[in-house]
Short mmCIF file of all heavy atoms in Angstrom, two decimals:
data_model
loop_
_atom_site.label_atom_id
_atom_site.label_comp_id
_atom_site.label_asym_id
_atom_site.label_seq_id
_atom_site.Cartn_x
_atom_site.Cartn_y
_atom_site.Cartn_z
N ILE D 23 -16.52 2.39 -40.14
CA ILE D 23 -17.88 2.85 -40.52
C ILE D 23 -17.79 4.03 -41.34
O ILE D 23 -18.52 4.23 -42.42
CB ILE D 23 -18.76 3.25 -39.14
CG1 ILE D 23 -18.90 1.92 -38.42
CG2 ILE D 23 -19.91 4.00 -39.46
CD1 ILE D 23 -19.57 2.21 -37.03
N LEU D 27 -19.32 4.59 -45.21
CA LEU D 27 -20.19 5.61 -45.57
C LEU D 27 -19.66 6.52 -46.62
O LEU D 27 -20.38 7.11 -47.49
CB LEU D 27 -20.49 6.69 -44.34
CG LEU D 27 -21.34 5.93 -43.21
CD1 LEU D 27 -21.28 6.96 -41.93
CD2 LEU D 27 -22.81 5.98 -43.69
N SER D 32 -25.61 2.49 -51.37
CA SER D 32 -26.86 2.07 -50.67
C SER D 32 -27.00 0.62 -50.31
O SER D 32 -27.50 0.24 -49.32
CB SER D 32 -28.13 2.50 -51.39
OG SER D 32 -28.12 1.89 -52.66
N GLN D 34 -24.59 -0.97 -49.21
CA GLN D 34 -23.64 -1.34 -47.89
C GLN D 34 -24.45 -0.77 -46.61
O GLN D 34 -23.88 -1.02 -45.56
CB GLN D 34 -22.39 -0.59 -48.13
CG GLN D 34 -21.55 -1.07 -49.28
CD GLN D 34 -21.22 -2.55 -49.07
OE1 GLN D 34 -20.81 -2.94 -47.94
NE2 GLN D 34 -21.39 -3.36 -50.12
N ILE D 35 -25.62 -0.24 -46.87
CA ILE D 35 -26.34 0.25 -45.69
C ILE D 35 -26.53 -0.80 -44.58
O ILE D 35 -26.33 -0.62 -43.45
CB ILE D 35 -27.66 1.05 -45.97
CG1 ILE D 35 -27.36 2.24 -46.82
CG2 ILE D 35 -28.36 1.29 -44.78
CD1 ILE D 35 -26.48 3.24 -46.13
N PRO D 36 -26.98 -2.01 -45.06
CA PRO D 36 -27.21 -3.12 -43.96
C PRO D 36 -26.02 -3.38 -43.19
O PRO D 36 -25.94 -3.76 -42.13
CB PRO D 36 -27.81 -4.27 -44.81
CG PRO D 36 -28.46 -3.52 -46.00
CD PRO D 36 -27.60 -2.37 -46.23
N LYS D 37 -24.87 -3.43 -44.08
CA LYS D 37 -23.60 -3.69 -43.45
C LYS D 37 -23.22 -2.68 -42.35
O LYS D 37 -22.74 -3.05 -41.22
CB LYS D 37 -22.50 -3.81 -44.51
CG LYS D 37 -21.21 -4.11 -43.95
CD LYS D 37 -20.10 -4.18 -45.13
CE LYS D 37 -18.70 -4.42 -44.49
NZ LYS D 37 -17.68 -4.38 -45.57
N ILE D 38 -23.39 -1.32 -42.72
CA ILE D 38 -23.03 -0.27 -41.95
C ILE D 38 -23.89 -0.40 -40.59
O ILE D 38 -23.52 -0.33 -39.39
CB ILE D 38 -23.26 1.09 -42.52
CG1 ILE D 38 -22.25 1.16 -43.71
CG2 ILE D 38 -22.92 2.23 -41.62
CD1 ILE D 38 -22.39 2.34 -44.63
N GLN D 39 -25.28 -0.64 -40.80
CA GLN D 39 -26.14 -0.67 -39.62
C GLN D 39 -25.74 -1.88 -38.73
O GLN D 39 -25.84 -1.83 -37.55
CB GLN D 39 -27.68 -0.88 -40.07
CG GLN D 39 -28.12 0.33 -40.81
CD GLN D 39 -29.49 0.20 -41.16
OE1 GLN D 39 -29.92 -0.75 -41.88
NE2 GLN D 39 -30.53 1.25 -40.97
N ASN D 40 -25.25 -2.93 -39.28
CA ASN D 40 -24.79 -4.10 -38.64
C ASN D 40 -23.62 -3.72 -37.72
O ASN D 40 -23.53 -4.11 -36.52
CB ASN D 40 -24.63 -5.31 -39.49
CG ASN D 40 -24.15 -6.50 -38.65
OD1 ASN D 40 -24.93 -6.98 -37.85
ND2 ASN D 40 -22.89 -6.98 -38.83
N LEU D 42 -22.91 -0.70 -36.60
CA LEU D 42 -23.36 0.16 -35.56
C LEU D 42 -24.05 -0.71 -34.47
O LEU D 42 -23.84 -0.29 -33.22
CB LEU D 42 -24.48 1.10 -36.10
CG LEU D 42 -23.86 2.18 -37.03
CD1 LEU D 42 -24.99 2.93 -37.74
CD2 LEU D 42 -23.03 3.24 -36.23
N LEU D 77 -25.65 5.92 -31.21
CA LEU D 77 -25.54 4.84 -32.32
C LEU D 77 -26.98 4.58 -32.86
O LEU D 77 -27.09 4.48 -34.12
CB LEU D 77 -24.99 3.64 -31.63
CG LEU D 77 -23.49 3.73 -31.26
CD1 LEU D 77 -23.09 2.50 -30.46
CD2 LEU D 77 -22.65 3.75 -32.49
N TYR D 78 -27.93 4.41 -31.94
CA TYR D 78 -29.35 4.16 -32.54
C TYR D 78 -29.82 5.20 -33.45
O TYR D 78 -30.42 4.94 -34.46
CB TYR D 78 -30.24 3.99 -31.28
CG TYR D 78 -31.70 3.56 -31.75
CD1 TYR D 78 -31.93 2.43 -32.32
CD2 TYR D 78 -32.61 4.69 -31.64
CE1 TYR D 78 -33.41 2.14 -32.68
CE2 TYR D 78 -33.96 4.44 -32.07
CZ TYR D 78 -34.27 3.13 -32.64
OH TYR D 78 -35.62 2.97 -33.05
N GLU D 79 -29.59 6.49 -33.04
CA GLU D 79 -30.04 7.62 -33.83
C GLU D 79 -29.34 7.60 -35.22
O GLU D 79 -29.91 7.85 -36.25
CB GLU D 79 -29.74 8.94 -33.11
CG GLU D 79 -30.58 9.12 -31.91
CD GLU D 79 -30.16 10.35 -31.01
OE1 GLU D 79 -29.24 11.01 -31.52
OE2 GLU D 79 -30.77 10.61 -30.07
N ILE D 80 -28.10 7.39 -35.24
CA ILE D 80 -27.21 7.24 -36.55
C ILE D 80 -27.82 6.02 -37.37
O ILE D 80 -27.97 6.16 -38.56
CB ILE D 80 -25.82 7.10 -36.18
CG1 ILE D 80 -25.27 8.39 -35.62
CG2 ILE D 80 -25.01 6.83 -37.50
CD1 ILE D 80 -23.86 8.16 -35.05
N TYR D 81 -28.09 4.95 -36.72
CA TYR D 81 -28.63 3.68 -37.36
C TYR D 81 -29.90 4.09 -38.07
O TYR D 81 -30.00 3.77 -39.21
CB TYR D 81 -28.96 2.65 -36.27
CG TYR D 81 -29.43 1.36 -36.83
CD1 TYR D 81 -28.72 0.27 -37.02
CD2 TYR D 81 -30.83 1.26 -37.01
CE1 TYR D 81 -29.11 -0.84 -37.48
CE2 TYR D 81 -31.34 0.10 -37.44
CZ TYR D 81 -30.54 -1.03 -37.66
OH TYR D 81 -31.06 -2.15 -38.08
N THR D 82 -30.81 4.85 -37.37
CA THR D 82 -31.98 5.20 -37.99
C THR D 82 -31.97 6.18 -39.06
O THR D 82 -32.58 6.11 -40.09
CB THR D 82 -32.95 5.75 -36.87
OG1 THR D 82 -33.10 4.94 -35.77
CG2 THR D 82 -34.39 6.20 -37.45
N GLU D 83 -30.88 7.18 -38.93
CA GLU D 83 -30.80 8.28 -39.83
C GLU D 83 -30.19 7.75 -41.15
O GLU D 83 -30.74 8.06 -42.27
CB GLU D 83 -29.64 9.23 -39.19
CG GLU D 83 -29.36 10.42 -40.18
CD GLU D 83 -28.36 11.38 -39.65
OE1 GLU D 83 -28.17 11.46 -38.46
OE2 GLU D 83 -27.67 12.00 -40.57
N ILE D 84 -29.23 6.84 -41.08
CA ILE D 84 -28.72 6.28 -42.47
C ILE D 84 -29.62 5.49 -43.08
O ILE D 84 -29.66 5.25 -44.19
CB ILE D 84 -27.32 5.76 -42.11
CG1 ILE D 84 -27.48 4.47 -41.41
CG2 ILE D 84 -26.24 6.59 -41.52
CD1 ILE D 84 -26.18 3.65 -41.30
N GLY D 85 -30.47 4.92 -42.33
CA GLY D 85 -31.54 3.94 -42.93
C GLY D 85 -32.55 4.75 -43.67
O GLY D 85 -32.99 4.39 -44.83
N ILE D 86 -32.95 5.94 -43.11
CA ILE D 86 -33.94 6.77 -43.82
C ILE D 86 -33.32 7.53 -45.03
O ILE D 86 -33.81 7.51 -46.06
CB ILE D 86 -34.39 7.90 -42.79
CG1 ILE D 86 -35.20 7.22 -41.65
CG2 ILE D 86 -35.20 8.89 -43.53
CD1 ILE D 86 -35.63 8.25 -40.60
N ALA D 87 -32.10 7.86 -44.92
CA ALA D 87 -31.41 8.63 -45.92
C ALA D 87 -30.89 7.61 -47.04
O ALA D 87 -30.48 7.90 -48.00
CB ALA D 87 -30.16 9.36 -45.47
N ASN D 88 -31.05 6.28 -46.64
CA ASN D 88 -30.48 5.19 -47.60
C ASN D 88 -28.96 5.37 -47.96
O ASN D 88 -28.59 5.11 -49.07
CB ASN D 88 -31.31 5.19 -48.77
CG ASN D 88 -31.16 3.90 -49.48
OD1 ASN D 88 -30.99 2.85 -48.98
ND2 ASN D 88 -31.33 3.89 -50.90
N GLY D 89 -28.32 6.15 -47.01
CA GLY D 89 -26.84 6.26 -47.33
C GLY D 89 -26.41 7.45 -48.15
O GLY D 89 -25.28 7.86 -48.23
N ASN D 90 -27.37 7.95 -48.97
CA ASN D 90 -27.00 8.99 -50.03
C ASN D 90 -26.62 10.29 -49.45
O ASN D 90 -25.76 11.06 -49.88
CB ASN D 90 -28.17 9.28 -51.07
CG ASN D 90 -28.36 7.92 -51.83
OD1 ASN D 90 -27.31 7.19 -52.15
ND2 ASN D 90 -29.63 7.49 -52.14
N SER D 91 -27.38 10.70 -48.41
CA SER D 91 -27.16 12.14 -47.89
C SER D 91 -26.54 11.93 -46.40
O SER D 91 -26.44 13.05 -45.85
CB SER D 91 -28.55 12.84 -47.76
OG SER D 91 -29.35 12.16 -46.89
N ALA D 92 -25.97 10.84 -46.11
CA ALA D 92 -25.40 10.83 -44.75
C ALA D 92 -24.10 11.54 -44.70
O ALA D 92 -23.28 11.21 -45.50
CB ALA D 92 -25.26 9.33 -44.37
N ASN D 93 -23.82 12.36 -43.77
CA ASN D 93 -22.59 13.14 -43.76
C ASN D 93 -21.61 12.32 -42.78
O ASN D 93 -21.66 12.34 -41.62
CB ASN D 93 -22.95 14.47 -43.02
CG ASN D 93 -21.66 15.29 -43.03
OD1 ASN D 93 -20.60 14.94 -42.97
ND2 ASN D 93 -21.97 16.68 -43.22
N GLU D 94 -20.83 11.61 -43.58
CA GLU D 94 -19.90 10.72 -42.82
C GLU D 94 -18.88 11.46 -41.85
O GLU D 94 -18.54 10.89 -40.87
CB GLU D 94 -18.94 9.81 -43.86
CG GLU D 94 -18.12 10.66 -44.66
CD GLU D 94 -18.73 11.16 -46.02
OE1 GLU D 94 -20.03 11.07 -46.08
OE2 GLU D 94 -18.12 11.71 -46.76
N ILE D 97 -20.90 12.35 -38.70
CA ILE D 97 -21.09 11.19 -38.03
C ILE D 97 -19.89 10.71 -37.22
O ILE D 97 -19.91 10.39 -36.08
CB ILE D 97 -21.80 10.08 -38.83
CG1 ILE D 97 -23.10 10.44 -39.31
CG2 ILE D 97 -21.70 8.66 -38.10
CD1 ILE D 97 -23.76 9.49 -40.33
#
Side-chain angles (χ1 to χ4, degrees):
I23 290 170
L27 286 171
S32 59
Q34 295 299 310
I35 295 304
K37 178 182 177 180
I38 297 172
Q39 288 181 315
N40 184 60
L42 291 167
L77 288 170
Y78 178 76
E79 292 172 1
I80 294 172
Y81 179 99
T82 303
E83 179 184 334
I84 66 172
I86 295 173
N88 201 28
N90 294 321
S91 60
N93 188 327
E94 62 274 6
I97 291 173

